[in-house]
Amino acid sequence: MLHYEPRKKVPRPSVLDPFKGEVTRLLDTHPFSAQQIFQRLRENNYAGGYSTVKKYVRLIRPKHRSAFLTLVFAPGEAAQVDWGSWGTIGVGQTRRQLSFFVMVLCHSRRMYLEFFVAQTMEHFLVAHEHAFAAFNAVPSRIMIDNLKTGVLSHLAGCAPIFNQRYLDYARHCGFTITACNVASGWEKGRVENGVGYVKKNFLNGLELGDFNAVNPAAQLWLDTVANVRIHAKTHQRPIDMFEQERAHLQPCNPAPYDIGRISTARVSKQFRVAFDANRYSVPVHYVGIIVILKAYPERVCIYYADQLIAWHLRSYERGQDIENPDHPKVLVEQRKNAQAQRLLLRFLSLTPQAGKYHEGLMVRRANWRNHVAKINALAEIYGVAETGRAIEDALVFDAFSGEYITNLLEARARELPQASPLQLTRRQDLLDMTIAEPDLSLYELSHHENKS
């Protein structure tokens, strides 16, 4: 019976064999690169290629494994925050990127979670506000990654430059900010794990319809799953450890903080300002003026010279035109007045007595403008002269109404035309008329045919 066995690898001599001891010695003295070792071997008459040296260096070099310290935080010492993203979600007739904010208290691991459709400064700050309100307390320190809303720049080996707005908010609330080192997300491992936990345990398999349903579902998940589970590291429930941590947290600042994000815009000819792919109305007399927009997560406020001139509920759809019904009223009234002025001027041109008739209409008729408009329309039908004459006649009888003028004009239009002169024939003319005699030849011919 035949037995098949794998072929044994027969070691082959290598051009590098005489130099392997030198390679080991060089690596023991310093972590040289394979290229550096190759160059030194060439100086010692090595005739092989670089790839042979590179493979051998990779084989014998000790594998570098990073070591991490387990970070321990005192109660109330710190919280870690970060953003996460999860596809898109429907907002009205459009779709927006779905983002979520996570804050984790480092000692107790109690989590706060809130979903947004933007990661701008006003959303970042309002998420902090809501988290502190949920905890009813503020930690001494907030640890963040190099978020644009928190850190403007952070070069390796240099101190981070924080966003001034975030620094101002931190001073207001009473916490300090710590930025992780560049490419060192493990330094805020608690919130990194929290973001992953949200994705795997809450979002995975969740059917997301409209955005309005997401945050209520997230709050239910926090209360029934995330904060009441047995944590894998502490072997306790976060909500129970929070009761121990509560006494070490700072109280919230009772004074409100204005989280609005400020920008500027010029008012268009349609008395609109553009913001976040939508248009919002302002009073018409601000057309062409640069105004200040202050954006909050739920509303948009518009100012001019420190005066609030308009505010609207914020729309997260796209291409929407949001108008306050009071804003176009001035323009509509101006147009109505201009039209009424044109109608009055036309009425006054019908007859020199039209001014007096107009005064009588204003005294006698509450809706005198309607009577003026009707009389102007009659002038289009019956002519200026006839309508002017009717106004003059009505003025004589103190009859002030469009109906009276209508009746006058209709009555005169129905009058019969004057009879034409009667043509009479004199007797002498009748005597002088010549009576035509009959044609006898025709009579005789007919008579002859009858006899035959």
Side-chain angles (χ1 to χ4, degrees):
M1 181 178 290
L2 297 176
H3 295 279
Y4 294 91
E5 296 180 356
R7 180 182 297 176
K8 295 180 180 181
K9 188 174 182 179
V10 179
R12 296 180 180 179
S14 169
V15 69
L16 186 62
D17 288 343
F19 301 92
K20 288 182 177 179
E22 179 65 12
V23 173
T24 304
R25 187 187 67 80
L26 289 172
L27 289 176
D28 287 340
T29 58
H30 188 79
F32 290 107
S33 67
Q35 181 65 39
Q36 290 174 313
I37 292 176
F38 172 68
Q39 292 170 357
R40 283 165 172 74
L41 295 182
R42 290 293 295 270
E43 294 173 358
N44 295 329
N45 300 318
Y46 169 68
Y50 167 69
S51 60
T52 304
V53 177
K54 181 179 178 181
K55 290 179 181 178
Y56 185 67
V57 169
R58 185 180 297 170
L59 179 65
I60 67 171
R61 189 196 296 274
K63 296 291 187 292
H64 175 73
R65 299 186 181 276
S66 300
F68 300 98
L69 294 173
T70 301
L71 300 179
V72 179
F73 295 90
E77 178 186 351
Q80 297 176 0
V81 302
D82 202 2
W83 286 107
S85 298
W86 188 264
T88 62
I89 194 167
V91 180
Q93 300 300 316
T94 190
R95 298 193 69 81
R96 293 267 188 173
Q97 180 181 2
L98 182 63
S99 300
F100 58 93
F101 172 90
V102 178
M103 178 182 288
V104 177
L105 293 174
C106 294
H107 176 75
S108 65
R109 268 75 165 189
R110 182 176 175 184
M111 178 189 295
Y112 176 79
L113 170 66
E114 186 171 0
F115 286 82
F116 298 92
V117 290
Q119 295 184 12
T120 49
M121 179 61 79
E122 67 271 26
H123 299 93
F124 188 54
L125 296 184
V126 81
H128 282 68
E129 292 275 280
H130 294 167
F132 297 154
F135 302 150
N136 196 25
V138 178
S140 300
R141 181 163 58 103
I142 298 289
M143 301 176 66
I144 62 172
D145 203 346
N146 293 285
L147 306 167
K148 292 182 179 179
T149 45
V151 180
L152 298 179
S153 66
H154 192 181
L155 301 177
C158 300
I161 300 176
F162 293 109
N163 189 310
Q164 189 59 44
R165 188 74 192 283
Y166 191 41
L167 276 176
D168 185 64
Y169 177 73
R171 285 191 290 266
H172 172 83
C173 295
F175 64 84
T176 58
I177 309 170
T178 299
C180 296
N181 290 310
V182 178
S184 301
W186 58 269
E187 294 181 357
K188 56 178 184 62
R190 281 164 173 72
V191 75
E192 290 280 349
N193 293 336
V195 170
Y197 181 60
V198 170
K199 291 181 178 180
K200 289 183 291 185
N201 192 281
F202 176 65
L203 290 172
N204 187 31
L206 181 66
E207 294 184 2
L208 299 176
D210 188 76
F211 175 75
N212 293 328
V214 178
N215 277 316
Q219 185 60 53
L220 180 64
W221 178 77
L222 287 173
D223 295 339
T224 60
V225 178
N227 288 325
V228 296
R229 76 193 193 278
I230 302 298
H231 196 277
K233 295 293 184 182
T234 65
H235 304 291
Q236 298 185 58
R237 300 195 313 167
I239 197 67
D240 296 334
M241 290 193 67
F242 175 74
E243 292 303 319
Q244 305 168 19
E245 187 175 24
R246 185 195 301 272
H248 302 276
L249 295 166
Q250 305 175 91
C252 297
N253 188 340
Y257 183 84
D258 190 349
I259 65 170
R261 175 167 57 96
I262 296 175
S263 60
T264 59
R266 185 180 296 275
V267 181
S268 70
K269 292 181 180 179
Q270 291 76 34
F271 50 98
R272 299 290 195 273
V273 292
F275 175 74
D276 195 20
N278 294 305
R279 299 185 303 156
Y280 297 86
S281 69
V282 300
V284 296
H285 50 275
Y286 290 100
V287 168
I289 294 176
I290 295 177
V291 294
I292 298 173
L293 277 73
K294 187 176 285 189
Y296 298 87
E298 76 290 349
R299 68 187 188 278
V300 177
C301 297
I302 306 168
Y303 294 83
Y304 177 71
D306 297 330
Q307 178 185 359
L308 178 65
I309 61 174
W311 75 273
H312 301 271
L313 293 177
R314 182 170 178 174
S315 172
Y316 287 96
E317 295 191 50
R318 292 185 176 92
Q320 299 299 302
D321 185 78
I322 297 97
E323 181 182 81
N324 184 329
D326 291 334
H327 291 162
K329 283 184 178 179
V330 175
L331 184 60
V332 171
E333 191 63 29
Q334 289 175 350
R335 290 180 177 177
K336 285 183 178 179
N337 292 339
Q339 183 180 9
Q341 189 67 20
R342 288 194 297 271
L343 289 174
L344 180 57
L345 291 175
R346 186 177 177 189
F347 176 80
L348 295 177
S349 66
L350 296 177
T351 172
Q353 300 299 318
K356 291 183 179 179
Y357 197 77
H358 176 248
E359 293 175 0
L361 283 173
M362 289 193 295
V363 172
R364 307 285 181 87
R365 303 292 177 182
N367 58 341
W368 61 269
R369 291 183 179 84
N370 293 340
H371 291 271
V372 168
K374 185 172 184 178
I375 295 170
N376 279 334
L378 292 171
E380 292 286 337
I381 300 172
Y382 297 100
V384 172
E386 287 299 321
T387 306
R389 177 185 165 200
I391 291 173
E392 294 170 356
D393 293 344
L395 188 61
V396 172
F397 294 101
D398 288 337
F400 298 97
S401 74
E403 288 76 11
Y404 188 82
I405 302 297
T406 302
N407 293 335
L408 278 178
L409 291 171
E410 289 180 349
R412 289 171 180 173
R414 288 195 300 267
E415 288 180 358
L416 296 176
Q418 295 182 357
S420 58
L422 180 63
Q423 301 291 331
L424 298 178
T425 305
R426 295 178 304 167
R427 179 180 298 178
Q428 185 62 40
D429 294 332
L430 293 174
L431 294 175
D432 293 340
M433 292 177 61
T434 303
I435 300 175
E437 295 182 357
D439 189 348
L440 296 178
S441 59
L442 293 174
Y443 172 77
E444 291 175 356
L445 179 60
S446 176
H447 181 69
H448 178 72
E449 290 178 349
N450 291 333
K451 288 179 65 178
S452 302

